Amino acid sequence: MVNLTKGGNAPLSSTTLQVTVAWKDRNPNAEELDVSCFLLTDAKKVRSDDDMIFYGQRQAKDGSVQIKDLAATDGAARKTSFNVDLSKLAADVTSVAIVGTTASGPINALETLSVNAAPQGGDPVVFDITTGDASEAALILGELYLRNGQWKFRAVAQGFNGGLGPLAENYGVVIDAPAAAPPPPPTPTPPTPPSPSPSVNLSKVTLTKEKPSVSLAKKSDGFGMIEINLNWTQTGGKKKGIFGLKGKAIDLDLGCFFEMSNGQVGAVQALGNTFGRYEQAPFIELAGDDRTGASTNGEWMRVNGGQWQHLRRVLIYAFIYEGVPNWASADGMITIFMPDGAPIEVKLDEASNLGMCAIAEITNDNGGMKFNREVKYFQAHPQMSEHYRYPLQWRAGSK
């Protein structure tokens, strides 16, 4: 292990590595640290908004950087990890900045903060950051950079005034500004301005017990592709096939019940190989099932928002297919990615030893969408479908 102090650097023994930022709050109820990466040119700017990797855009287009764990529980601390393959970077990308920001309050609200860059098959490079003097809400934690053909890690710990928005703009990212009040009508009417360039939406919506729901108005052109991600912490080692586990790893599966506008009901899940269809009814499709534990992005489901008029409601759930039911240690979370909108997240933050969790329900509200946090636990499918009034018949299945 190589330990660095502020300003120090060390060579990386491999271009394939995992970068983990870990922190512990002095206040256990404090907001989490948002950790992001920026792919930068020699001018210290992104080439486009695609070069920002954060909670709303979890991997680079070239696959060089992708989020593995997002604010996952790690003992008494939390962590966000990135899988990095520097060999996939384009020739004009010469550094990767790793930053941490808070939505409210300064970085010095953190008790501990560290960055661990662990090359594949090599010694990790560790940077423990002193937070006491960090009065800003944003901190450039470290940097992966190319020098004379060698990739290195530099310990930075440089404060930045403002949060994630100003920091992203400093790197050249175009931020989606909140809507302003319309100005008085001009005279004469000016020509129609050109359409603005695509921009990054940094906002996100977290559904909690106190604020359990959010609604989206009906859109004349439909909602587009809605992507639902389930991610969790696999403890005890990687999964080994679909029947055996090493240690007490958990195989958490994503699924949903649906009700069509014509009253038809059903389920989409890997169990029973009912993966659904995106272009045809039920307009919901599960994107495969990770049976190996190799996926770092969890499981994904797509809802065809362009056909939302055919759906009455969708109940998103997860069930523990393998492993001891321990939702607290699984530290699961779903994130619903809406086109041109803020991601909506629900954390599975309540303990239970039951096998299934109803996470969130999306209902058709006069053509709009209403998202409601559920986080209710059940023994199995029959009990959940009865509770939510999905009249389905159940039998033992496998995948």
Side-chain angles (χ1 to χ4, degrees):
M1 180 185 298
V2 179
N3 289 285
L4 296 179
T5 58
K6 184 175 180 178
N9 66 80
L12 298 170
S13 58
S14 172
T15 56
T16 304
L17 64 152
Q18 180 172 297
V19 176
T20 300
V21 177
W23 69 93
K24 182 179 179 182
D25 291 297
R26 289 188 173 90
N27 176 6
N29 297 318
E31 292 189 41
E32 65 192 35
L33 184 72
D34 288 322
V35 184
S36 310
C37 285
F38 296 85
L39 312 185
L40 305 175
T41 64
D42 283 336
K44 297 301 179 186
K45 299 291 183 181
V46 298
R47 299 164 301 171
S48 73
D49 295 343
D50 294 332
D51 287 345
M52 178 181 178
I53 299 90
F54 70 117
Y55 52 77
Q57 187 168 271
R58 299 197 181 194
Q59 67 176 27
K61 274 195 170 182
D62 58 12
S64 59
V65 179
Q66 57 182 337
I67 294 177
K68 177 180 182 290
D69 298 303
L70 184 63
T73 300
D74 186 15
R78 299 186 75 82
K79 67 177 182 180
T80 291
S81 299
F82 298 84
N83 285 340
V84 181
D85 187 347
L86 299 170
S87 68
K88 292 183 178 180
L89 291 171
D92 55 348
V93 175
T94 56
S95 64
V96 178
I98 305 153
V99 308
T101 59
T102 57
S104 60
I107 295 291
N108 59 22
L110 303 179
E111 182 178 344
T112 61
L113 178 61
S114 68
V115 184
N116 184 314
Q120 188 175 55
D123 292 332
V125 180
V126 179
F127 176 34
D128 293 318
I129 301 169
T130 302
T131 59
D133 296 330
S135 58
E136 301 87 357
L139 197 66
I140 303 172
L141 305 172
E143 182 184 39
L144 307 172
Y145 67 102
L146 185 63
R147 180 65 54 84
N148 297 326
Q150 169 70 61
W151 281 96
K152 297 183 177 183
F153 174 80
R154 177 185 291 120
V156 180
Q158 176 185 337
F160 191 95
N161 290 320
L164 181 56
L167 181 55
E169 289 177 328
N170 174 71
Y171 285 132
V173 177
V174 179
I175 302 301
D176 182 13
T187 306
T189 303
T192 303
S195 300
S197 300
S199 56
V200 172
N201 191 323
L202 295 183
S203 60
K204 63 178 174 178
V205 178
T206 301
L207 301 185
T208 64
K209 283 184 177 180
E210 294 72 28
K211 296 180 179 180
S213 64
V214 65
S215 296
L216 298 178
K218 180 180 179 180
K219 298 179 66 174
S220 58
D221 56 349
F223 290 98
M225 181 187 293
I226 302 161
E227 297 181 286
I228 302 168
N229 173 253
L230 169 68
N231 221 318
W232 71 97
T233 301
Q234 295 181 18
T235 56
K238 287 186 176 181
K239 292 181 282 184
K240 298 293 184 182
I242 63 173
F243 297 109
L245 295 178
K246 178 183 178 182
K248 296 181 180 180
I250 295 174
D251 180 0
L252 205 58
D253 277 9
L254 175 65
C256 76
F257 296 150
F258 63 83
E259 182 181 0
M260 309 290 293
S261 57
N262 62 6
Q264 176 189 349
V265 296
V268 173
Q269 60 180 27
L271 191 63
N273 293 316
T274 54
F275 287 88
R277 293 178 295 183
Y278 182 79
E279 297 291 349
Q280 303 177 49
F283 307 108
I284 305 169
E285 183 177 51
L286 185 65
D289 174 46
D290 174 30
R291 306 183 185 188
T292 66
S295 173
T296 61
N297 292 316
E299 297 198 354
W300 291 86
M301 180 181 291
R302 302 186 302 159
V303 178
N304 189 339
Q307 303 294 330
W308 183 238
Q309 72 273 17
H310 298 298
L311 286 161
R312 186 173 294 165
R313 56 181 178 140
V314 178
L315 179 69
I316 305 165
Y317 59 76
F319 59 97
I320 297 177
Y321 180 69
E322 294 279 2
V324 178
N326 187 341
W327 294 93
S329 66
D331 193 38
M333 180 171 71
I334 68 157
T335 306
I336 304 169
F337 294 93
M338 303 294 301
D340 304 319
I344 300 167
E345 63 180 25
V346 180
K347 298 179 181 179
L348 282 61
D349 51 7
E350 298 180 21
S352 174
N353 60 358
L354 298 177
M356 294 197 70
C357 180
I359 305 172
E361 189 164 46
I362 312 173
T363 55
N364 189 323
D365 186 10
N366 294 318
M369 283 188 173
K370 183 176 182 181
F371 302 83
N372 198 71
R373 175 189 184 273
E374 298 296 326
V375 191
K376 294 182 174 67
Y377 296 91
F378 298 86
Q379 181 179 351
H381 291 75
Q383 291 78 15
M384 182 184 292
S385 63
E386 180 180 0
H387 178 86
Y388 285 98
R389 301 182 306 281
Y390 287 90
L392 296 165
Q393 299 296 317
W394 297 101
R395 58 182 175 81
S398 61
K399 61 175 185 174

